[in-house]
Amino acid sequence: MVKKLFVSIFLLYAFGAYAKSTFYEKDILLFCTQENPFFATIVLKKEIVKARELFYKGAFDTQLNGIYENKEYPLSNASFEKVAFMQPLHNGVELSLFYRKAQGTQEYNNIKTGKDGELQATLLVPLNNLLYNTGERDVNYEIAKLQTKKSKKEIQRLLQGFYKDLAGLYYTLLYQKASLINEENLLKKSQQRLNFLGKEVAAGKKASIELIQNRHLILQRKQRVLDAQSKFLQIKNSFITYLGMSDEYFNKHYTLPKLSIMSYSYKVDSYYIDKAYHIRADIEGLVYQRKSLQQQQRLNSLSKYPKIDLKANTLYDLAYKQDGYKLSAELTFTLQRNSYKSEYEKLQKKLLLINSKQGKLKAEISLNISNVLQNIYFLQKKKELYEEEIELSKTLEIAEKKRYKEGVSNLIFVNQREIDALGAKQKLLENQLQREKIKLQLQYETGAITLQTKRR
């Protein structure tokens, strides 16, 4: 009893260790990872744009600056020391804190400090930037963030296309597998007929030429099987390559299911069109592009007005224990404002172009979805006809074989009935393949395909 239990456990373990899993469409997502080079080449584009965003964020980094000079000339000597922190803030505001000490006759400036040096703080305020709550650093950083979001949507669309093509290849593989099985079954019919014909010829009921004709059919059908095998392996090689795995790995871990003859229910055109308008990544990408242009408009609007920079400086002398301050203002006004007008016109035209692109894209989405749903309708109708054709072909094949056994038909007619029956099956298989692909196309057109960019 114990021995049988041990053997059972061992067999269960061995079976579990080497059992293959059936590979379904959902399993494609397991290989949509950054370990897959075809997938990674799309995803990594986002990292490049993200780095650009970080670059513009660096405009707000705190800066440390240090200067040391020591001069020993024949008629003069001097030294100069300075350590400064500069912090760029929003809206073009800058804050500086620094210590400096100047002794002797300075060579390139007129700075004089006490013997212990001095502490200073400077605040630069571009008045217009503050009033309109914007600045070049802010705009560049906001545009970089919007560019990252836009790029993310573009990459999402590319990934959806990648999945649609890969899933379409998967269903083509199932179709080729089913086609190969059909061709093998057709070959078996000729091979199984050899025994019957041998007995019939030996009994004098059939002419020996019938055996030769059947062997000829076997050769033809073997060729058909080889063609089907070649197509199946070519599609399989493409599929597993795009999955990023080897043939050995796939054969060891997976088997393929049958291409099931299924029907799907769909809603009206307006449902899918409205859904696409709300979730299509490329439409969202245009929204971010428009926001980016609006940010540029905000920055350009500053050049309409005079540039007014206010600067406040405070000082504390460490030797004399005294402080002081200085206030200044600088005004710059461009009279013709040609740069502003040119940039304004350019940005307005770009916004109009975005609106046109969005209108064109929505029109294309509506057209594509309507066409897809129309194709689905006709494919469903054809499916019903093909199923009826299969039943009639089977009936005719059986009847022709019966007539052949009774001696009132010949092998040519039997072969034709078998080929017709196979052709009817192939039509239904091809119809199912087209319906699976059109289902994927509808998901793609509505933007409903979702992929996770996680590592496996």
Side-chain angles (χ1 to χ4, degrees):
M1 181 67 182
V2 175
K3 184 178 179 180
K4 287 183 178 179
L5 181 62
F6 176 78
V7 171
S8 299
I9 293 172
F10 174 79
L11 290 174
L12 284 171
Y13 174 78
F15 178 78
Y18 294 101
K20 295 182 179 181
S21 300
T22 302
F23 195 102
Y24 295 106
E25 182 196 331
K26 62 182 177 62
D27 295 316
I28 293 174
L29 293 173
L30 299 175
F31 298 89
C32 290
T33 67
Q34 292 195 30
E35 282 74 26
N36 181 336
F38 296 96
F39 188 84
T41 52
I42 300 173
V43 174
L44 291 176
K45 294 177 183 177
K46 182 175 67 176
E47 303 302 322
I48 297 172
V49 181
K50 187 69 176 175
R52 180 176 179 269
E53 178 185 331
L54 186 61
F55 172 80
Y56 282 103
K57 187 179 180 181
F60 295 95
D61 290 349
T62 304
Q63 298 174 22
L64 171 63
N65 175 255
I67 300 175
Y68 174 76
E69 294 179 357
N70 187 49
K71 181 182 70 171
E72 293 285 348
Y73 287 173
L75 299 178
S76 66
N77 59 73
S79 65
F80 181 76
E81 302 169 29
K82 182 179 179 180
V83 178
F85 288 90
M86 199 277 279
Q87 178 61 60
L89 302 173
H90 292 285
N91 300 327
V93 177
E94 294 181 0
L95 175 64
S96 300
L97 301 171
F98 59 90
Y99 164 83
R100 69 181 181 182
K101 179 181 177 182
Q103 293 184 326
T105 303
Q106 300 299 314
E107 192 170 3
Y108 302 111
N109 56 56
N110 192 32
I111 297 173
K112 297 183 183 297
T113 69
K115 61 184 180 67
D116 294 331
E118 62 189 21
L119 298 175
Q120 287 201 33
T122 301
L123 182 65
L124 173 65
V125 180
L127 190 58
N128 285 347
N129 291 34
L130 204 60
L131 290 173
Y132 290 94
N133 191 29
T134 191
E136 187 173 357
R137 285 191 295 262
D138 302 81
V139 167
N140 286 338
Y141 183 42
E142 284 301 316
I143 289 174
K145 288 195 291 184
L146 289 168
Q147 185 64 31
T148 300
K149 291 178 180 179
K150 176 177 173 287
S151 177
K152 185 178 179 181
K153 294 303 176 182
E154 290 171 348
I155 289 166
Q156 181 182 337
R157 195 71 184 140
L158 290 172
L159 291 175
Q160 288 174 344
F162 174 77
Y163 179 85
K164 175 182 71 73
D165 293 342
L166 192 51
L169 200 58
Y170 167 75
Y171 285 112
T172 303
L173 181 61
L174 298 189
Y175 166 78
Q176 292 295 347
K177 177 189 174 185
S179 298
L180 175 58
I181 291 172
N182 284 342
E183 294 293 349
E184 289 172 341
N185 289 336
L186 182 67
L187 174 61
K188 285 178 184 177
K189 289 178 181 180
S190 296
Q191 291 172 330
Q192 290 168 353
R193 200 158 37 232
L194 275 177
N195 186 44
F196 163 75
L197 284 175
K199 292 178 180 178
E200 292 289 291
V201 170
K205 295 180 180 180
K206 298 283 185 185
S208 58
I209 192 67
E210 297 282 339
L211 275 173
I212 297 173
Q213 286 180 332
N214 197 69
R215 290 193 183 101
H216 184 251
L217 286 179
I218 289 173
L219 288 175
Q220 288 180 326
R221 293 179 180 185
K222 281 183 177 179
Q223 293 170 30
R224 292 171 64 110
V225 169
L226 287 175
D227 288 340
Q229 285 177 336
S230 176
K231 290 178 182 178
F232 170 75
L233 290 175
Q234 286 178 24
I235 297 296
K236 182 186 175 188
N237 289 338
S238 297
F239 179 64
I240 61 178
T241 298
Y242 285 115
L243 285 180
M245 73 167 82
S246 65
D247 188 57
E248 292 77 15
Y249 183 91
F250 186 88
N251 293 336
K252 181 178 179 181
H253 293 89
Y254 295 106
T255 59
L256 291 168
K258 291 182 180 179
L259 181 61
S260 303
I261 309 301
M262 300 176 65
S263 295
Y264 301 101
S265 58
Y266 296 93
K267 299 181 181 180
V268 295
D269 298 27
S270 58
Y271 169 81
Y272 297 104
I273 292 170
D274 184 63
K275 185 177 181 181
Y277 286 175
H278 284 87
I279 67 172
R280 273 274 291 251
D282 42 1
I283 287 183
E284 289 188 74
L286 289 175
V287 171
Y288 292 128
Q289 197 171 342
R290 182 185 291 107
K291 288 181 178 180
S292 176
L293 290 171
Q294 289 168 345
Q295 286 290 332
Q296 293 177 56
Q297 281 185 320
R298 287 180 61 202
L299 183 62
N300 185 53
S301 65
L302 291 178
S303 58
K304 276 198 305 184
Y305 308 103
K307 181 183 178 184
I308 305 174
D309 290 344
L310 303 180
K311 192 172 184 180
N313 180 271
T314 62
L315 176 148
Y316 181 77
D317 190 283
L318 295 172
Y320 295 101
K321 310 298 183 185
Q322 292 181 350
D323 55 16
Y325 69 90
K326 179 174 71 172
L327 298 176
S328 61
E330 183 179 345
L331 172 67
T332 306
F333 184 55
T334 304
L335 298 177
Q336 285 80 17
R337 299 189 301 169
N338 288 325
S339 295
Y340 161 74
K341 293 174 184 176
S342 173
E343 187 69 8
Y344 176 82
E345 289 296 326
K346 182 181 75 174
L347 294 174
Q348 283 295 106
K349 293 295 188 294
K350 284 187 174 181
L351 281 171
L352 288 173
L353 181 60
I354 293 296
N355 292 336
S356 298
K357 283 183 178 179
Q358 189 175 55
K360 177 175 175 285
L361 181 57
K362 286 187 174 183
E364 289 174 346
I365 288 171
S366 299
L367 176 62
N368 292 342
I369 288 177
S370 296
N371 286 341
V372 165
L373 290 172
Q374 188 178 71
N375 286 339
I376 287 170
Y377 171 80
F378 285 108
L379 285 170
Q380 294 279 35
K381 290 296 181 183
K382 285 183 179 179
K383 172 180 174 288
E384 297 168 7
L385 296 175
Y386 294 150
E387 287 174 337
E388 187 177 352
E389 184 181 359
I390 285 174
E391 293 302 318
L392 292 175
S393 298
K394 283 181 181 178
T395 302
L396 290 171
E397 181 185 350
I398 292 169
E400 198 66 51
K401 286 180 177 178
K402 184 178 179 181
R403 293 178 71 236
Y404 179 66
K405 287 183 179 181
E406 292 172 352
V408 293
S409 183
N410 58 53
L411 205 54
I412 295 175
F413 289 138
V414 171
N415 174 59
Q416 188 59 51
R417 293 302 184 191
E418 289 175 344
I419 293 294
D420 288 345
L422 174 64
K425 289 180 181 178
Q426 287 297 111
K427 286 180 184 179
L428 185 59
L429 280 175
E430 188 172 349
N431 177 269
Q432 181 61 23
L433 172 61
Q434 290 175 350
R435 285 187 295 120
E436 293 292 354
K437 286 187 173 182
I438 209 76
K439 178 193 71 175
L440 291 168
Q441 185 66 33
L442 182 60
Q443 292 174 345
Y444 176 75
E445 292 295 340
T446 56
I449 297 174
T450 56
L451 291 91
Q452 299 294 328
T453 57
K454 299 185 293 186
R455 293 184 177 273
R456 192 162 68 241

